[in-house]
Amino acid sequence: KAGVTQTPRYLIKTRGQQVTLSCSPISGHRSVSWYQQTPGQGLQFLFEYFSETQRNKGNFPGRFSGRQFSNSRSEMNVSTLELGDSALYLCASSPGSGAQETQYFGPGTRLLVL
Amino acid sequence: GNSVTQMEGPVTLSEEAFLTINCTYTATGYPSLFWYVQYPGEGLQLLLKATKADDKGSNKGFEATYRKETTSFHLEKGSVQVSDSAVYFCALSLFTGGFKTIFGAGTRLFVKA
């Protein structure tokens, strides 16, 4: 099976712009979660989608949003970018039925905000 | 609230040394516990997991036991190799209507030849 893929791998934006990141889960996986990784804050949970519905979300401002399509592919959007949004954004997929499941991570999108 | 605390690094060991990375957690409900590893420039990979109290997860010589009484999930390996150099993350997952995974801060391990 192909792994989780994320596009683009690298992105440079300026403050005030918006950005959309994409994640394609492993075939058959219906849950997609997004995480932000920074040196200062570590790995922080953004949100989780299952069957096109957001089931859970972390403590991020409304500038961070996401969606999931019927084929389970997911996108996250960050509007009005700030310097502090520079980070590695990771998505992870799993079948979606319980906490005992292993999440499979993509390689991440590295976002730099100038 | 839910949280994971793991020992700060970096940890520097010589090849064939014994490794312990401490991890404790606070959680409501009954979490599953995981250790993930991140090699330079890569995403996270599952190292091992345990889904209930007293379960032992093991993989590639690493092992960890889910201790509910001490709320701990310490990672151990009897003899580390240079190739084990990476960042190790302890994590808990909860399912309360939706998935949520909480990660520890990560512990960087350097193994010298």
Side-chain angles (χ1 to χ4, degrees):
Chain A
K1 272 185 180 178
V4 178
T5 58
Q6 292 186 245
T7 55
R9 291 293 309 278
Y10 304 93
L11 209 46
I12 300 175
K13 292 285 187 180
T14 56
R15 277 184 303 172
Q17 288 187 309
Q18 74 163 14
V19 67
T20 299
L21 313 181
S22 180
C23 172
S24 292
I26 289 172
S27 178
H29 285 187
R30 296 166 67 190
S31 169
V32 174
S33 297
W34 287 90
Y35 299 87
Q36 181 194 65
Q37 186 177 23
T38 59
Q41 300 297 317
L43 273 155
Q44 293 188 285
F45 172 75
L46 280 154
F47 28 64
E48 185 235 357
Y49 285 87
F50 179 84
S51 291
E52 303 178 68
T53 300
Q54 186 182 88
R55 286 198 302 193
N56 217 337
K57 64 177 298 201
N59 298 321
F60 278 80
R63 300 185 297 108
F64 291 82
S65 63
R67 58 178 175 168
Q68 188 180 33
F69 301 95
S70 58
N71 62 357
S72 293
R73 190 177 69 84
S74 177
E75 290 181 346
M76 69 163 278
N77 184 276
V78 188
S79 62
T80 320
L81 283 165
E82 301 177 359
L83 295 179
D85 298 333
S86 294
L88 180 66
Y89 290 88
L90 294 166
C91 82
S93 77
S94 68
S97 60
Q100 75 284 357
E101 295 177 349
T102 298
Q103 292 183 81
Y104 295 86
F105 283 81
T109 294
R110 189 166 293 281
L111 171 65
L112 177 62
V113 181
L114 302 176
Chain B
N2 303 305
S3 65
V4 175
T5 303
Q6 62 182 104
M7 64 189 284
E8 288 190 28
V11 173
T12 303
L13 296 173
S14 297
E15 211 166 22
E16 299 184 6
F18 184 85
L19 169 71
T20 300
I21 301 178
N22 290 336
C23 172
T24 57
Y25 68 90
T26 303
T28 53
Y30 303 96
S32 293
L33 302 176
F34 301 80
W35 278 100
Y36 285 90
V37 58
Q38 187 174 34
Y39 297 101
E42 298 184 16
L44 273 69
Q45 303 173 26
L46 176 71
L47 183 58
L48 53 85
K49 70 178 183 182
T51 59
K52 62 183 188 297
D54 300 324
D55 266 2
K56 178 188 280 190
S58 60
N59 185 29
K60 299 181 183 179
F62 292 89
E63 56 182 41
T65 301
Y66 189 142
R67 301 281 188 206
K68 192 172 178 207
E69 63 276 11
T70 53
T71 61
S72 64
F73 193 54
H74 304 321
L75 181 68
E76 296 182 336
K77 185 175 185 182
S79 176
V80 293
Q81 306 300 312
V82 172
S83 57
D84 293 327
S85 298
V87 181
Y88 293 82
F89 293 91
C90 184
L92 67 85
S93 275
L94 291 162
F95 190 83
T96 50
F99 235 131
K100 185 168 187 175
T101 299
I102 309 294
F103 287 87
T107 302
R108 185 175 295 276
L109 171 66
F110 292 105
V111 180
K112 303 179 298 184

Short mmCIF file of all heavy atoms in Angstrom, two decimals, chain B residues 25-79:
data_model
loop_
_atom_site.label_atom_id
_atom_site.label_comp_id
_atom_site.label_asym_id
_atom_site.label_seq_id
_atom_site.Cartn_x
_atom_site.Cartn_y
_atom_site.Cartn_z
N TYR B 25 2.27 9.98 32.06
CA TYR B 25 1.12 10.60 31.42
C TYR B 25 0.03 10.92 32.43
O TYR B 25 -0.02 10.36 33.53
CB TYR B 25 0.56 9.68 30.32
CG TYR B 25 -0.08 8.41 30.86
CD1 TYR B 25 -1.43 8.36 31.18
CD2 TYR B 25 0.69 7.27 31.07
CE1 TYR B 25 -2.00 7.22 31.69
CE2 TYR B 25 0.13 6.12 31.58
CZ TYR B 25 -1.21 6.10 31.90
OH TYR B 25 -1.78 4.95 32.42
N THR B 26 -0.83 11.82 32.03
CA THR B 26 -2.06 12.13 32.76
C THR B 26 -3.17 12.06 31.75
O THR B 26 -3.07 12.65 30.66
CB THR B 26 -2.01 13.55 33.35
OG1 THR B 26 -0.88 13.66 34.20
CG2 THR B 26 -3.27 13.85 34.14
N ALA B 27 -4.22 11.30 32.07
CA ALA B 27 -5.30 11.15 31.10
C ALA B 27 -6.61 10.85 31.80
O ALA B 27 -6.63 10.17 32.82
CB ALA B 27 -4.99 10.04 30.10
N THR B 28 -7.67 11.36 31.23
CA THR B 28 -9.01 10.95 31.64
C THR B 28 -9.39 9.78 30.74
O THR B 28 -9.07 9.75 29.56
CB THR B 28 -10.00 12.10 31.45
OG1 THR B 28 -9.90 12.58 30.11
CG2 THR B 28 -9.68 13.24 32.39
N GLY B 29 -10.03 8.80 31.31
CA GLY B 29 -10.39 7.65 30.49
C GLY B 29 -9.25 6.65 30.39
O GLY B 29 -8.35 6.61 31.22
N TYR B 30 -9.29 5.87 29.31
CA TYR B 30 -8.35 4.76 29.14
C TYR B 30 -7.59 4.92 27.84
O TYR B 30 -8.02 4.43 26.79
CB TYR B 30 -9.13 3.43 29.18
CG TYR B 30 -9.92 3.29 30.45
CD1 TYR B 30 -11.26 3.63 30.50
CD2 TYR B 30 -9.30 2.84 31.61
CE1 TYR B 30 -11.98 3.52 31.67
CE2 TYR B 30 -10.01 2.74 32.79
CZ TYR B 30 -11.35 3.07 32.83
OH TYR B 30 -12.06 2.97 33.98
N PRO B 31 -6.46 5.62 27.91
CA PRO B 31 -5.74 5.89 26.66
C PRO B 31 -4.97 4.68 26.15
O PRO B 31 -4.67 3.75 26.91
CB PRO B 31 -4.76 6.99 27.06
CG PRO B 31 -4.48 6.72 28.51
CD PRO B 31 -5.78 6.21 29.08
N SER B 32 -4.64 4.71 24.89
CA SER B 32 -3.62 3.84 24.33
C SER B 32 -2.31 4.63 24.36
O SER B 32 -2.32 5.85 24.25
CB SER B 32 -3.98 3.44 22.90
OG SER B 32 -5.13 2.62 22.88
N LEU B 33 -1.21 3.92 24.52
CA LEU B 33 0.10 4.58 24.63
C LEU B 33 1.02 4.15 23.50
O LEU B 33 0.99 2.99 23.07
CB LEU B 33 0.74 4.25 25.98
CG LEU B 33 -0.08 4.64 27.22
CD1 LEU B 33 0.63 4.16 28.49
CD2 LEU B 33 -0.29 6.15 27.27
N PHE B 34 1.81 5.08 23.03
CA PHE B 34 2.65 4.85 21.85
C PHE B 34 4.04 5.45 22.07
O PHE B 34 4.21 6.43 22.79
CB PHE B 34 2.05 5.54 20.62
CG PHE B 34 0.66 5.08 20.25
CD1 PHE B 34 -0.46 5.58 20.92
CD2 PHE B 34 0.46 4.17 19.23
CE1 PHE B 34 -1.74 5.17 20.60
CE2 PHE B 34 -0.82 3.76 18.89
CZ PHE B 34 -1.92 4.25 19.58
N TRP B 35 5.01 4.86 21.41
CA TRP B 35 6.29 5.50 21.17
C TRP B 35 6.46 5.61 19.66
O TRP B 35 6.32 4.62 18.93
CB TRP B 35 7.45 4.69 21.76
CG TRP B 35 7.66 4.92 23.21
CD1 TRP B 35 7.25 4.15 24.26
CD2 TRP B 35 8.36 6.04 23.80
NE1 TRP B 35 7.64 4.72 25.44
CE2 TRP B 35 8.31 5.87 25.20
CE3 TRP B 35 9.01 7.16 23.28
CZ2 TRP B 35 8.91 6.78 26.08
CZ3 TRP B 35 9.59 8.06 24.15
CH2 TRP B 35 9.53 7.86 25.53
N TYR B 36 6.74 6.85 19.23
CA TYR B 36 7.04 7.11 17.82
C TYR B 36 8.50 7.56 17.73
O TYR B 36 9.05 8.14 18.66
CB TYR B 36 6.15 8.22 17.26
CG TYR B 36 4.72 7.81 16.98
CD1 TYR B 36 3.74 7.93 17.95
CD2 TYR B 36 4.36 7.30 15.74
CE1 TYR B 36 2.42 7.56 17.69
CE2 TYR B 36 3.05 6.93 15.46
CZ TYR B 36 2.09 7.05 16.45
OH TYR B 36 0.80 6.68 16.19
N VAL B 37 9.09 7.34 16.57
CA VAL B 37 10.47 7.77 16.34
C VAL B 37 10.51 8.63 15.07
O VAL B 37 9.77 8.37 14.11
CB VAL B 37 11.43 6.55 16.22
CG1 VAL B 37 11.01 5.62 15.09
CG2 VAL B 37 12.87 7.00 16.06
N GLN B 38 11.33 9.67 15.13
CA GLN B 38 11.48 10.56 13.97
C GLN B 38 12.96 10.65 13.62
O GLN B 38 13.76 11.17 14.40
CB GLN B 38 10.92 11.95 14.29
CG GLN B 38 10.87 12.88 13.09
CD GLN B 38 10.17 14.20 13.42
OE1 GLN B 38 10.26 14.71 14.53
NE2 GLN B 38 9.44 14.75 12.44
N TYR B 39 13.30 10.15 12.44
CA TYR B 39 14.65 10.27 11.95
C TYR B 39 14.80 11.61 11.22
O TYR B 39 13.81 12.18 10.75
CB TYR B 39 14.98 9.10 11.02
CG TYR B 39 14.94 7.77 11.74
CD1 TYR B 39 13.83 6.92 11.61
CD2 TYR B 39 15.97 7.37 12.57
CE1 TYR B 39 13.77 5.72 12.28
CE2 TYR B 39 15.92 6.16 13.24
CZ TYR B 39 14.82 5.35 13.10
OH TYR B 39 14.77 4.16 13.79
N PRO B 40 16.02 12.12 11.12
CA PRO B 40 16.22 13.45 10.51
C PRO B 40 15.57 13.58 9.15
O PRO B 40 15.73 12.73 8.28
CB PRO B 40 17.75 13.54 10.42
CG PRO B 40 18.25 12.65 11.51
CD PRO B 40 17.27 11.52 11.59
N GLY B 41 14.78 14.64 8.99
CA GLY B 41 14.16 14.92 7.70
C GLY B 41 12.97 14.06 7.35
O GLY B 41 12.47 14.12 6.23
N GLU B 42 12.51 13.26 8.31
CA GLU B 42 11.40 12.36 8.01
C GLU B 42 10.21 12.63 8.93
O GLU B 42 10.32 13.34 9.93
CB GLU B 42 11.85 10.90 8.17
CG GLU B 42 12.96 10.51 7.20
CD GLU B 42 13.32 9.04 7.33
OE1 GLU B 42 12.55 8.26 7.92
OE2 GLU B 42 14.40 8.67 6.82
N GLY B 43 9.08 12.01 8.59
CA GLY B 43 7.92 12.08 9.46
C GLY B 43 8.05 11.08 10.60
O GLY B 43 9.10 10.45 10.77
N LEU B 44 7.00 10.92 11.37
CA LEU B 44 7.03 10.01 12.51
C LEU B 44 6.70 8.59 12.09
O LEU B 44 5.85 8.37 11.22
CB LEU B 44 6.01 10.45 13.57
CG LEU B 44 6.46 11.47 14.59
CD1 LEU B 44 6.67 12.82 13.94
CD2 LEU B 44 5.45 11.60 15.71
N GLN B 45 7.36 7.65 12.74
CA GLN B 45 7.05 6.23 12.50
C GLN B 45 6.70 5.61 13.84
O GLN B 45 7.35 5.91 14.84
CB GLN B 45 8.27 5.48 11.96
CG GLN B 45 8.87 6.00 10.70
CD GLN B 45 10.16 5.27 10.37
OE1 GLN B 45 10.36 4.11 10.76
NE2 GLN B 45 11.05 5.91 9.64
N LEU B 46 5.73 4.71 13.84
CA LEU B 46 5.42 3.99 15.06
C LEU B 46 6.58 3.08 15.42
O LEU B 46 7.09 2.32 14.60
CB LEU B 46 4.16 3.14 14.86
CG LEU B 46 3.80 2.26 16.05
CD1 LEU B 46 3.29 3.12 17.20
CD2 LEU B 46 2.77 1.21 15.66
N LEU B 47 6.99 3.13 16.69
CA LEU B 47 8.00 2.21 17.20
C LEU B 47 7.33 1.04 17.91
O LEU B 47 7.61 -0.11 17.64
CB LEU B 47 8.96 2.94 18.14
CG LEU B 47 10.11 2.14 18.70
CD1 LEU B 47 10.99 1.57 17.60
CD2 LEU B 47 10.94 3.01 19.65
N LEU B 48 6.43 1.36 18.84
CA LEU B 48 5.68 0.32 19.54
C LEU B 48 4.47 0.95 20.21
O LEU B 48 4.39 2.17 20.35
CB LEU B 48 6.56 -0.40 20.56
CG LEU B 48 7.31 0.43 21.59
CD1 LEU B 48 6.43 0.75 22.79
CD2 LEU B 48 8.57 -0.31 22.07
N LYS B 49 3.55 0.09 20.64
CA LYS B 49 2.36 0.61 21.30
C LYS B 49 1.84 -0.41 22.31
O LYS B 49 2.19 -1.61 22.26
CB LYS B 49 1.28 0.94 20.29
CG LYS B 49 0.64 -0.26 19.61
CD LYS B 49 -0.46 0.20 18.65
CE LYS B 49 -1.17 -1.00 18.01
NZ LYS B 49 -2.21 -0.55 17.04
N ALA B 50 0.99 0.08 23.23
CA ALA B 50 0.30 -0.78 24.19
C ALA B 50 -1.08 -0.19 24.41
O ALA B 50 -1.21 1.03 24.54
CB ALA B 50 1.06 -0.86 25.51
N THR B 51 -2.09 -1.02 24.39
CA THR B 51 -3.44 -0.49 24.40
C THR B 51 -4.18 -0.68 25.73
O THR B 51 -5.28 -0.14 25.89
CB THR B 51 -4.28 -1.11 23.27
OG1 THR B 51 -4.30 -2.54 23.46
CG2 THR B 51 -3.67 -0.79 21.92
N LYS B 52 -3.59 -1.43 26.66
CA LYS B 52 -4.23 -1.55 27.97
C LYS B 52 -3.18 -1.82 29.03
O LYS B 52 -2.04 -2.19 28.73
CB LYS B 52 -5.30 -2.63 27.96
CG LYS B 52 -4.80 -4.02 27.66
CD LYS B 52 -5.98 -4.98 27.61
CE LYS B 52 -5.52 -6.42 27.50
NZ LYS B 52 -4.79 -6.71 26.28
N ALA B 53 -3.58 -1.63 30.28
CA ALA B 53 -2.67 -1.78 31.41
C ALA B 53 -1.97 -3.13 31.38
O ALA B 53 -2.58 -4.16 31.08
CB ALA B 53 -3.43 -1.58 32.70
N ASP B 54 -0.68 -3.11 31.71
CA ASP B 54 0.21 -4.27 31.79
C ASP B 54 0.61 -4.84 30.44
O ASP B 54 1.41 -5.78 30.38
CB ASP B 54 -0.39 -5.38 32.65
CG ASP B 54 -0.66 -4.93 34.07
OD1 ASP B 54 0.15 -4.13 34.60
OD2 ASP B 54 -1.67 -5.35 34.65
N ASP B 55 0.11 -4.28 29.35
CA ASP B 55 0.56 -4.68 28.02
C ASP B 55 2.01 -4.26 27.85
O ASP B 55 2.42 -3.19 28.30
CB ASP B 55 -0.25 -3.97 26.93
CG ASP B 55 -1.43 -4.80 26.46
OD1 ASP B 55 -1.64 -5.90 27.00
OD2 ASP B 55 -2.12 -4.33 25.54
N LYS B 56 2.79 -5.09 27.16
CA LYS B 56 4.15 -4.70 26.80
C LYS B 56 4.23 -4.60 25.30
O LYS B 56 3.88 -5.55 24.58
CB LYS B 56 5.16 -5.73 27.30
CG LYS B 56 6.60 -5.39 26.90
CD LYS B 56 7.59 -6.51 27.23
CE LYS B 56 7.99 -6.50 28.66
NZ LYS B 56 9.11 -7.43 28.94
N GLY B 57 4.67 -3.44 24.82
CA GLY B 57 4.93 -3.28 23.39
C GLY B 57 6.41 -3.51 23.13
O GLY B 57 7.25 -3.16 23.95
N SER B 58 6.73 -4.10 21.98
CA SER B 58 8.14 -4.32 21.66
C SER B 58 8.35 -4.31 20.16
O SER B 58 7.46 -4.69 19.39
CB SER B 58 8.63 -5.64 22.26
OG SER B 58 7.89 -6.72 21.73
N ASN B 59 9.55 -3.85 19.77
CA ASN B 59 9.87 -3.77 18.35
C ASN B 59 11.34 -3.41 18.22
O ASN B 59 11.82 -2.51 18.92
CB ASN B 59 9.01 -2.72 17.65
CG ASN B 59 9.22 -2.68 16.14
OD1 ASN B 59 9.56 -3.69 15.53
ND2 ASN B 59 8.99 -1.53 15.55
N LYS B 60 12.07 -4.09 17.35
CA LYS B 60 13.48 -3.78 17.05
C LYS B 60 14.35 -3.71 18.30
O LYS B 60 15.28 -2.90 18.37
CB LYS B 60 13.58 -2.44 16.31
CG LYS B 60 12.85 -2.39 14.98
CD LYS B 60 13.02 -1.03 14.32
CE LYS B 60 12.23 -0.95 13.03
NZ LYS B 60 12.36 0.37 12.38
N GLY B 61 14.04 -4.49 19.32
CA GLY B 61 14.83 -4.50 20.54
C GLY B 61 14.37 -3.49 21.57
O GLY B 61 14.82 -3.49 22.71
N PHE B 62 13.47 -2.58 21.20
CA PHE B 62 12.88 -1.63 22.13
C PHE B 62 11.67 -2.26 22.80
O PHE B 62 10.96 -3.05 22.18
CB PHE B 62 12.42 -0.36 21.41
CG PHE B 62 13.53 0.49 20.86
CD1 PHE B 62 14.02 0.28 19.57
CD2 PHE B 62 14.09 1.51 21.61
CE1 PHE B 62 15.04 1.06 19.06
CE2 PHE B 62 15.10 2.29 21.11
CZ PHE B 62 15.58 2.07 19.83
N GLU B 63 11.43 -1.88 24.05
CA GLU B 63 10.21 -2.32 24.71
C GLU B 63 9.74 -1.30 25.73
O GLU B 63 10.52 -0.48 26.23
CB GLU B 63 10.38 -3.70 25.35
CG GLU B 63 11.49 -3.82 26.34
CD GLU B 63 11.58 -5.25 26.87
OE1 GLU B 63 11.43 -6.22 26.09
OE2 GLU B 63 11.82 -5.40 28.08
N ALA B 64 8.43 -1.34 26.01
CA ALA B 64 7.84 -0.46 27.00
C ALA B 64 6.60 -1.14 27.56
O ALA B 64 5.87 -1.80 26.81
CB ALA B 64 7.46 0.89 26.39
N THR B 65 6.36 -0.96 28.87
CA THR B 65 5.22 -1.59 29.52
C THR B 65 4.27 -0.53 30.02
O THR B 65 4.68 0.44 30.68
CB THR B 65 5.68 -2.49 30.69
OG1 THR B 65 6.57 -3.49 30.17
CG2 THR B 65 4.49 -3.16 31.34
N TYR B 66 2.99 -0.70 29.75
CA TYR B 66 1.92 0.22 30.16
C TYR B 66 1.67 -0.01 31.64
O TYR B 66 1.10 -1.03 32.04
CB TYR B 66 0.69 -0.13 29.34
CG TYR B 66 -0.50 0.80 29.40
CD1 TYR B 66 -1.23 1.03 28.26
CD2 TYR B 66 -0.94 1.37 30.59
CE1 TYR B 66 -2.36 1.84 28.26
CE2 TYR B 66 -2.05 2.19 30.60
CZ TYR B 66 -2.77 2.41 29.45
OH TYR B 66 -3.89 3.19 29.47
N ARG B 67 2.09 0.94 32.48
CA ARG B 67 1.93 0.82 33.93
C ARG B 67 0.88 1.81 34.38
O ARG B 67 1.14 3.01 34.49
CB ARG B 67 3.25 1.13 34.64
CG ARG B 67 4.40 0.24 34.25
CD ARG B 67 4.33 -1.10 34.93
NE ARG B 67 5.55 -1.88 34.70
CZ ARG B 67 5.57 -3.21 34.74
NH1 ARG B 67 4.46 -3.90 34.96
NH2 ARG B 67 6.71 -3.84 34.52
N LYS B 68 -0.31 1.29 34.67
CA LYS B 68 -1.41 2.18 35.06
C LYS B 68 -1.19 2.73 36.46
O LYS B 68 -1.52 3.88 36.76
CB LYS B 68 -2.74 1.43 34.98
CG LYS B 68 -3.95 2.33 35.08
CD LYS B 68 -5.23 1.56 34.82
CE LYS B 68 -6.42 2.49 34.99
NZ LYS B 68 -7.62 1.80 35.38
N GLU B 69 -0.60 1.91 37.36
CA GLU B 69 -0.45 2.34 38.75
C GLU B 69 0.54 3.49 38.90
O GLU B 69 0.40 4.32 39.80
CB GLU B 69 -0.02 1.15 39.62
CG GLU B 69 1.33 0.54 39.29
CD GLU B 69 1.30 -0.48 38.16
OE1 GLU B 69 0.25 -0.59 37.47
OE2 GLU B 69 2.33 -1.14 37.95
N THR B 70 1.53 3.56 37.99
CA THR B 70 2.50 4.66 38.04
C THR B 70 2.30 5.61 36.86
O THR B 70 3.09 6.55 36.69
CB THR B 70 3.95 4.12 38.00
OG1 THR B 70 4.09 3.25 36.86
CG2 THR B 70 4.28 3.37 39.27
N THR B 71 1.26 5.41 36.09
CA THR B 71 0.97 6.19 34.85
C THR B 71 2.24 6.42 34.06
O THR B 71 2.61 7.55 33.73
CB THR B 71 0.25 7.52 35.16
OG1 THR B 71 1.08 8.34 36.00
CG2 THR B 71 -1.08 7.28 35.83
N SER B 72 2.92 5.32 33.73
CA SER B 72 4.19 5.43 33.02
C SER B 72 4.25 4.48 31.84
O SER B 72 3.51 3.49 31.76
CB SER B 72 5.35 5.14 33.98
OG SER B 72 5.29 3.80 34.42
N PHE B 73 5.16 4.81 30.91
CA PHE B 73 5.36 3.99 29.71
C PHE B 73 6.80 4.22 29.27
O PHE B 73 7.08 4.77 28.22
CB PHE B 73 4.36 4.42 28.63
CG PHE B 73 4.23 3.48 27.46
CD1 PHE B 73 3.95 2.14 27.65
CD2 PHE B 73 4.38 3.95 26.16
CE1 PHE B 73 3.82 1.27 26.57
CE2 PHE B 73 4.24 3.10 25.06
CZ PHE B 73 3.96 1.75 25.27
N HIS B 74 7.74 3.80 30.09
CA HIS B 74 9.16 4.06 29.86
C HIS B 74 9.69 3.19 28.72
O HIS B 74 9.42 1.98 28.67
CB HIS B 74 9.97 3.78 31.12
CG HIS B 74 9.51 4.54 32.32
ND1 HIS B 74 9.09 5.85 32.27
CD2 HIS B 74 9.38 4.15 33.63
CE1 HIS B 74 8.74 6.25 33.47
NE2 HIS B 74 8.90 5.24 34.32
N LEU B 75 10.52 3.80 27.87
CA LEU B 75 11.10 3.09 26.72
C LEU B 75 12.48 2.56 27.12
O LEU B 75 13.28 3.30 27.70
CB LEU B 75 11.24 4.04 25.54
CG LEU B 75 11.80 3.44 24.25
CD1 LEU B 75 10.83 2.43 23.64
CD2 LEU B 75 12.12 4.54 23.24
N GLU B 76 12.77 1.31 26.78
CA GLU B 76 14.06 0.71 27.10
C GLU B 76 14.60 -0.08 25.91
O GLU B 76 13.83 -0.62 25.11
CB GLU B 76 13.93 -0.25 28.30
CG GLU B 76 13.53 0.43 29.59
CD GLU B 76 13.47 -0.55 30.75
OE1 GLU B 76 13.27 -1.75 30.51
OE2 GLU B 76 13.59 -0.11 31.90
N LYS B 77 15.94 -0.11 25.85
CA LYS B 77 16.61 -0.98 24.88
C LYS B 77 17.91 -1.42 25.50
O LYS B 77 18.65 -0.60 26.06
CB LYS B 77 16.87 -0.27 23.55
CG LYS B 77 17.45 -1.22 22.49
CD LYS B 77 17.61 -0.58 21.13
CE LYS B 77 18.06 -1.63 20.11
NZ LYS B 77 18.30 -1.07 18.76
N GLY B 78 18.21 -2.68 25.40
CA GLY B 78 19.36 -3.24 26.09
C GLY B 78 20.69 -2.84 25.49
O GLY B 78 21.69 -2.72 26.20
N SER B 79 20.75 -2.60 24.19
CA SER B 79 22.03 -2.33 23.53
C SER B 79 21.77 -1.45 22.31
O SER B 79 21.29 -1.94 21.28
CB SER B 79 22.68 -3.65 23.11
OG SER B 79 23.88 -3.42 22.40
#
